[in-house]
Amino acid sequence: MIHLHVEGEAVNSKLRIHETIKCDVLIIGCGGAGLRCAVEIFEKMPGTRVIAVTKVPHPQKSHTSTAQGGLAAVDPDDPVDSPAYHMFDTWKGSDCMADQNIVKKIVESAWTQVIWLENHGMHFSRDEAGNLSKRTFGGHTLNFGQSSAFRAVFEADRTGKGIVDTLWGEALKGGISFINQSIATELLFEGKRCVGAVIFREKYGDFVKVLARATVLATGGSGQMFRVTTNCRQNTADGLALALRAGLPIMDPEAVQFHPTGIVGPGILASETLRSVGGILRNRDLEPFMERYAPRMKELAPRDLVARAIEKEIREGRGVLNPDHNVEHVWIDLRHLPDYVHDVQIPEVTGFFRRFVNIDPRKELCPVRPSNHYHMGGIPTNEFGEVQRGAKETVPGLIAVGECAAASFHGFNRLGTNSLLELITMGKIAGERIIEYLSQDPDTLPEVSPERTFSLFARFMDEKGEENTGRLRQEMQAVMTEKAGVFRTEHGLSDAVDSLRELYERAGHTSLSSKSLRMNQELVQRWEFDNLLAISMACALAALNRRESRGAHFREDFPERNDEFNHHTLVYMSEFGKVDFGKRPVDMSIYAAGGENYEKFGLIERKY
Amino acid sequence: MRSRYSITLRIKRYDPDRKRSWSQDYKLEAGRILRFTDLFRKINNELDPTLAWNSSCEHAQCGTCAVKVNGKPLLACELLVENAVAFFGTTLFRVEPITIAPVVRDLIVDLEKAYERIEKIKPYVIDPVENPHPGNAYQVSPRDLEHYVEATRCINCFCCATACISSHRGFMGPNAVLASVVRIMDPRESAKAERLDMLYSDQGIYRCHTSMACSFVCPKEIDVAHFIALAKAGRFGAKGRK
Ligand SMILES: Cc1cc2nc3c(=O)[nH]c(=O)nc-3n(C[C@H](O)[C@H](O)[C@H](O)COP(=O)(O)OP(=O)(O)OC[C@H]3O[C@@H](n4cnc5c(N)ncnc54)[C@H](O)[C@@H]3O)c2cc1C
Ligand code: SF4
Ligand code: SF4
């Protein structure tokens, strides 16, 4: 037993392993990625003992359930679309940073996975003939950029929910055991092999050790690094932090996507349709400012350009302050649009403005601002989802899938509808890999003990001072939004790094109001804050290091892409703020194969 | 239009360590479009970090933040201060956990327990009908889908089950019925008889007394009672096999 310096015997004695559970596969995260992986295992190897952990009170509450738009997949019966076009769009969107072996694998298996979901009961929207409906989505084209492709299948405005409902049901059928409202606090290793994790069960306030022959990280996004985000409350980059603490690298943490028009406050997406149907962006003086930034395209300019224009208006003092949420924004003007457009083309978004900011878009201006949306970076994996220790070597027994992983399918900029696709394809591929691994691996599990969890939690219990974690977190979010968000500069990023160090220091002076372990959200928030600080730091340092602009990463002082940086960033962090960088080459196997249209997969320009 | 409100949240609290419950007043100055989840966060950051409350997406899509405000079950993430003042005609709000499962702490209930009802009715295709075109999607006419698509929108927030008196007395509850009805109406499911048995069991729809409270409170505006009425009217075929 480790000796702890914790106040009071009671707490001290609770910082121990309450129970050890053994299983074949431990899945950390029950969104689309984790559940798809679980179901694959049950289908191919019924009877496998799978335990899945989720931070939310129930798997159905995972963030995938919030995804609306759809999921991209080329229907082989489509007379005009082709996987090659989808691969090209993804490659171009990624700003030449997606790995082509992954792109090929995912795009080619897409339709089969859509059919699998349908056959298992997902309620896709249908066309008149009873087949799956399809719609267009930004960045998805036919003929290498010529016209929009009808490539996104969907379940009304709740595609992600359809996926989670279906997968959760199938996982139940397969006999999964869930550990809900619980957090994985540490990965366990025997030598270099991952053999499970420590789980803190919030409801009971105790720690269990789950020993597993294979462990899957599927913890989702990290949006809580930023002030206004479309992400859920639980997206605090836990999986990435677990990897870093285990001495493993994370890849491309600087690749963070911002959506130009999140609704002020809750950060709900006001879809791009608003701009395509004629919505006009206006600043404090009601000037239609896009004319200055993109005289020809105006509101229809690509996502990142619009986001930068809005951010610039705000930074130059032409934004509007919302007093309630205390955030600055611009307006989107929809008042001039005919009723037909409001009723038929944008009813959902109109509903969001009504519901969440009490505004009638027919009569009033609507407040929007760039919002954090997606983390392209994550835990580096190969094409099977196996976690990498460096550019090549993998970690036996450890898999990562979904938004927390970087294979990388999205490179430096993700196309809409490509994330849900990644979950269901890579989730399955990872499941297959695990089955192979299980059949080779001897069915023995070593007795290992946690090394970090208890000292970390004892530290949180022990900290004394006047600081409040919630407020510190708000400060961190403000720093990241201002200095490491849509616009980045050498100076701003250096400032951010300094501020993060200071916040880390101050976090040591928070004191918990309650030392109970049972459903102590302040304690969990303290733990999450450590994760957020670590990943924010990795993001800021990697952004500082990348002196170029690429995809969603925009350096005002280096506005052009530079081939010198044509590689993934690997970041290792031995202690807070102390990082080592590594590189991973970008796979260009489609280009190298020299087949038909191979030249489209070279280092092409990302111009729309 | 007022820009700020002085409001009081009278929150029902519960401490599992001492097994003690009490109600606590939090006085807040709040902007008009802050949501109740924003208020809870504000309480944590400014007044009391120990108040425990649940939420996840805060976009009214996951149903994690359901609470009772002045007796009405609703989603805290979509209740704006000025709407609450207008709707309830007061600036004092009693906030309590939903009453469908044991309380874990303060506003957090044991949703796992609540979900047992849903798991019991098997929320998946039990036995798929043979696919006439293997390797392809089943064909489902949009007209057929229209009949039950409303029921697929349920997010299991348990607001309806909280409002339903019968669901506190052995009834599986309105949302479990919905989940079941979805698969009864889904042409891809063949295990209709097993499903009807569950629906007409002693925890089934005959416990519902058609108060329609479920439809009234549903934040997704699903007409839950309509689907229950269809079942009662025998619209799904034979009543079980007993
Ligand atoms: C508003 C919105 C709309 C979107 N719309 C689309 C769209 O239309 N199309 C598209 O392709 N993509 C869309 N995306 C992106 C996409 O939804 C996400 O990238 C994707 O759902 C992530 O899935 P996941 O399975 O990786 O993670 P999640 O669904 O976020 O699941 C993560 C899981 O891990 C658990 N977890 C996290 N940390 C821990 C821990 N420490 N211990 C235990 N469990 C943990 C969580 O509780 C959860 O169960 C959208 C995203 C947002 C925010
Ligand atoms: S109509 Fe039936 S299910 Fe709905 S609230 Fe009343 S008793 Fe409950
Ligand atoms: S039917 Fe409505 S109120 Fe009931 S659980 Fe579903 S969404 Fe919530």
Side-chain angles (χ1 to χ4, degrees), chain A residues 558-577:
Chain A
F558 298 95
E560 299 299 323
R561 192 172 84 189
N562 179 348
D563 285 345
E564 213 182 295
F565 290 98
N566 226 318
H567 55 78
H568 296 291
T569 310
L570 294 178
V571 181
Y572 301 79
M573 198 185 278
S574 51
E575 59 185 83
F576 183 76

Side-chain angles (χ1 to χ4, degrees), chain A residues 29-30 32-33 54-55 62-64 69-70 184 220 238 374 403 417 419-420:
Chain A
C30 301
T54 176
K55 233 177 146 173
S62 294
H63 202 48
T64 298
D238 298 353
Y374 187 83
E403 189 169 336
T417 67
S419 172
L420 292 180

Side-chain angles (χ1 to χ4, degrees), chain A residues 53-99:
Chain A
V53 189
T54 176
K55 233 177 146 173
V56 285
H58 185 275
Q60 243 188 353
K61 312 305 192 199
S62 294
H63 202 48
T64 298
S65 295
T66 317
Q68 305 162 355
L71 118 80
V74 176
D75 177 353
D77 289 337
D78 189 316
V80 289
D81 204 355
S82 135
Y85 303 154
H86 188 185
M87 292 181 212
F88 167 77
D89 294 336
T90 305
W91 170 247
K92 182 174 169 187
S94 80
D95 219 350
C96 303
M97 285 294 266
D99 287 81

Side-chain angles (χ1 to χ4, degrees), chain A residues 74-226:
Chain A
V74 176
D75 177 353
D77 289 337
D78 189 316
V80 289
D81 204 355
S82 135
Y85 303 154
H86 188 185
M87 292 181 212
F88 167 77
D89 294 336
T90 305
W91 170 247
K92 182 174 169 187
S94 80
D95 219 350
C96 303
M97 285 294 266
D99 287 81
Q100 296 185 353
N101 55 338
I102 311 289
V103 173
K104 188 166 191 306
K105 203 163 182 173
I106 290 182
V107 165
E108 285 180 345
S109 61
W111 191 254
T112 315
Q113 288 317 306
V114 167
I115 297 302
W116 183 94
L117 277 170
E118 194 283 339
N119 287 176
H120 286 76
M122 181 165 158
H123 308 286
F124 283 101
S125 297
R126 307 281 173 160
D127 63 16
E128 276 306 306
N131 299 319
L132 308 187
S133 293
K134 294 174 199 146
R135 60 183 169 211
T136 59
F137 229 90
H140 288 278
T141 71
L142 296 176
N143 268 321
F144 307 106
Q146 266 183 10
S147 55
S148 290
F150 284 81
R151 188 181 290 154
V153 293
F154 54 95
E155 178 175 330
D157 59 348
R158 44 183 183 279
T159 311
K161 169 175 152 48
I163 293 176
V164 171
D165 289 3
T166 306
L167 293 174
W168 166 58
E170 288 302 311
L172 275 181
K173 211 174 175 179
I176 198 163
S177 310
F178 287 113
I179 306 183
N180 297 325
Q181 198 131 39
S182 300
I183 52 176
T185 57
E186 176 179 353
L187 294 173
L188 294 169
F189 290 87
E190 184 205 36
K192 290 193 157 180
R193 166 180 173 222
C194 181
V195 292
V198 179
I199 312 292
F200 175 54
R201 302 191 300 178
E202 292 184 56
K203 184 164 90 182
Y204 305 103
D206 65 14
F207 294 85
V208 296
K209 180 162 81 181
V210 180
L211 293 175
R213 295 162 68 201
T215 303
V216 181
L217 286 166
T219 55
S222 44
Q224 292 299 334
M225 282 167 24
F226 296 89

Side-chain angles (χ1 to χ4, degrees), chain B residues 142-208:
Chain B
R143 233 78 52 210
D144 288 344
L145 180 59
E146 217 168 86
H147 289 135
Y148 62 93
V149 74
E150 275 301 288
T152 70
R153 291 175 54 241
C154 169
I155 56 174
N156 285 324
C157 65
F158 293 92
C159 284
C160 56
T162 297
C164 169
I165 295 168
S166 308
S167 76
H168 299 281
R169 299 189 190 134
F171 175 37
M172 60 170 71
N175 51 333
V177 174
L178 272 194
S180 190
V181 164
V182 165
R183 293 304 178 193
I184 290 174
M185 297 179 81
D186 185 341
R188 296 167 297 183
E189 169 71 285
S190 73
K192 310 278 186 205
E194 180 182 347
R195 294 209 168 275
L196 289 170
D197 276 351
M198 292 190 260
L199 210 52
Y200 296 113
S201 72
D202 60 353
Q203 287 157 24
I205 50 164
Y206 290 115
R207 294 207 172 237
C208 154

Side-chain angles (χ1 to χ4, degrees), chain A residues 60-61 118 121-122 126 128 131 161 173 180 203 233-234 324 355 358 471 516 518 521, chain B residues 17 32-33 45 53 55-56 62 78 82-83 105 110 112 115 125 138 143 154 156 183 188:
Chain A
Q60 243 188 353
K61 312 305 192 199
E118 194 283 339
M122 181 165 158
R126 307 281 173 160
E128 276 306 306
N131 299 319
K161 169 175 152 48
K173 211 174 175 179
N180 297 325
K203 184 164 90 182
R233 184 179 172 198
Q234 286 79 5
D324 297 358
R355 195 175 284 235
N358 242 7
R471 285 201 298 273
S516 168
R518 216 182 289 183
Q521 292 185 318
Chain B
D17 297 313
R32 61 181 193 90
I33 59 166
N45 292 352
W53 54 285
S55 76
S56 180
C62 75
E78 57 172 8
E82 72 182 352
N83 292 353
R105 184 186 282 282
D110 192 346
E112 245 169 9
Y115 261 98
V125 178
Y138 290 88
R143 233 78 52 210
C154 169
N156 285 324
R183 293 304 178 193
R188 296 167 297 183

Side-chain angles (χ1 to χ4, degrees), chain A residues 484-592:
Chain A
V486 174
F487 280 109
R488 297 165 171 181
T489 63
E490 196 83 6
H491 184 69
L493 289 165
S494 311
D495 273 359
V497 170
D498 292 343
S499 303
L500 291 169
R501 271 188 221 287
E502 188 203 312
L503 285 163
Y504 183 82
E505 201 53 42
R506 285 168 60 197
H509 301 286
T510 47
S511 63
L512 295 171
S513 307
S514 156
K515 310 269 173 191
S516 168
L517 288 177
R518 216 182 289 183
M519 200 47 84
N520 185 343
Q521 292 185 318
E522 194 190 10
L523 172 64
V524 172
Q525 201 183 20
R526 175 68 189 88
W527 177 78
E528 290 174 340
F529 189 51
D530 253 27
N531 299 341
L532 286 169
L533 280 173
I535 307 309
S536 296
M537 188 56 131
C539 168
L541 288 170
L544 202 51
N545 210 32
R546 188 173 280 280
R547 292 195 162 117
E548 63 153 358
S549 291
R550 188 185 289 268
H553 165 72
F554 186 77
R555 285 282 304 252
E556 220 172 353
D557 40 0
F558 298 95
E560 299 299 323
R561 192 172 84 189
N562 179 348
D563 285 345
E564 213 182 295
F565 290 98
N566 226 318
H567 55 78
H568 296 291
T569 310
L570 294 178
V571 181
Y572 301 79
M573 198 185 278
S574 51
E575 59 185 83
F576 183 76
K578 236 180 115 197
V579 299
D580 287 309
F581 287 110
K583 292 179 185 177
R584 194 181 100 175
V586 177
D587 179 282
M588 291 182 59
S589 47
I590 301 179
Y591 180 74

